[in-house]
Amino acid sequence: MKVIYFDTETTGLDCQSCKIIELAMITVIDDEIVDRYDEFIDIGEPLPLKITQITGITDKMLKGRKTESEVANDLKDMLTPGTLMIAHNAQFDLSFIYNLLKRHYQDDADSIVGNLDWIDTLTVFKDRAKYPHKLCDAVEHYGIPEVNFHRAIDDTIALHEVTKAMIQERDDLKEYKNVFGYNPKYGVSGEEFSFIKYKKQFYNNFMVPSSRILPNR
């Protein structure tokens, strides 16, 4: 089975008006890492100062790197049907990847993302631990060595380790396939996808029993 762990760094939170500036993916087949992809994207415009302060990514780091079109082509080649995609807050990253693809492969974007399976480790983590639930909280919870957060490749490496720890803790991640939880106070953010089942998810202060995980509610 082909699994891709992925993360993005972006110019903001709006998936339609903002852009990806770093995309990282780790491809795993039969529990073995077979490929690491980490690309800055030259978006052809200055970065907001706040984004540079948060991520450490500068205009100089992006200049002359791959264009959006080139990265969209890479995604089209790598996101083969049946691949399992795993991200922390996958709704955010999926929305940005979809909009990037749509800008360059308008006729194919829906089928590319729709022919994949998706797991959101944020949804899983909310069923297992008390608030807060950011990736850095999951790293601490599972005792993963500290990483340089807010850089996509480092977040992706941490995500891979967190996912392995989750499987060792309780091997039910397959139940979360294509099921995303959302905070009912704010609703679903970004794009809504027909192949994802969205469910209201409230905070838990403990690891819920198997019969009460979000996919079973």
Side-chain angles (χ1 to χ4, degrees):
M1 181 189 210
K2 180 180 174 182
V3 182
I4 293 179
Y5 298 84
F6 72 105
D7 185 61
T8 62
E9 296 299 336
T10 68
T11 58
L13 301 178
D14 188 320
C15 62
Q16 295 185 351
S17 63
C18 298
K19 295 182 178 179
I20 299 173
I21 53 176
E22 184 185 12
L23 172 64
M25 296 183 285
I26 294 175
T27 302
V28 176
I29 297 178
D30 297 329
D31 297 323
E32 181 180 347
I33 296 175
V34 297
D35 186 59
R36 293 181 186 232
Y37 179 97
D38 182 26
E39 288 291 344
F40 289 121
I41 303 175
D42 187 346
I43 58 173
E45 59 189 61
L47 289 175
L49 177 60
K50 184 178 180 180
I51 297 303
T52 295
Q53 292 171 338
I54 291 172
T55 65
I57 298 172
T58 65
D59 294 326
K60 184 177 180 180
M61 292 166 68
L62 302 186
K63 188 174 182 180
R65 303 302 290 259
K66 284 195 173 185
T67 64
E68 261 204 354
S69 177
E70 290 172 321
V71 171
N73 187 61
D74 291 343
L75 283 169
K76 190 176 181 183
D77 289 341
M78 295 176 70
L79 305 188
T80 53
T83 298
L84 175 60
M85 307 290 291
I86 299 180
H88 199 79
N89 193 11
Q91 172 65 16
F92 178 88
D93 298 293
L94 166 56
S95 295
F96 269 88
I97 282 177
Y98 171 73
N99 277 281
L100 186 154
L101 287 167
K102 196 160 181 120
R103 286 193 289 272
H104 299 279
Y105 295 104
Q106 185 170 2
D107 295 337
D108 298 326
D110 288 274
S111 62
I112 291 172
V113 297
N115 287 329
L116 307 169
D117 289 312
W118 303 83
I119 286 179
D120 175 27
T121 53
L122 173 60
T123 298
V124 180
F125 194 47
K126 283 183 176 180
D127 272 351
R128 298 193 179 193
K130 65 181 181 180
Y131 179 87
H133 296 111
K134 293 180 180 179
L135 180 60
C136 59
D137 302 307
V139 165
E140 181 179 356
H141 179 81
Y142 291 109
I144 308 300
E146 192 168 338
V147 298
N148 176 27
F149 292 110
H150 299 304
R151 281 295 309 276
I153 188 59
D154 296 307
D155 284 2
T156 305
I157 292 168
L159 171 67
H160 183 217
E161 294 301 319
V162 164
T163 303
K164 290 191 292 184
M166 285 179 163
I167 293 170
Q168 290 177 350
E169 181 180 48
R170 184 169 69 193
D171 190 8
D172 62 0
L173 263 67
K174 60 184 179 296
E175 302 297 329
Y176 291 85
K177 192 181 294 183
N178 301 324
V179 177
F180 290 179
Y182 68 90
N183 188 328
K185 181 178 179 180
Y186 301 109
V188 178
S189 62
E191 303 281 347
E192 287 196 41
F193 300 93
S194 61
F195 51 85
I196 299 295
K197 183 178 289 186
Y198 295 97
K199 291 190 173 187
K200 295 178 182 179
Q201 188 174 29
F202 299 90
Y203 294 133
N204 298 293
N205 290 320
F206 51 86
M207 185 169 177
V208 301
S210 296
S211 60
R212 292 292 299 156
I213 64 173
L214 186 67
N216 293 337
R217 294 179 214 164

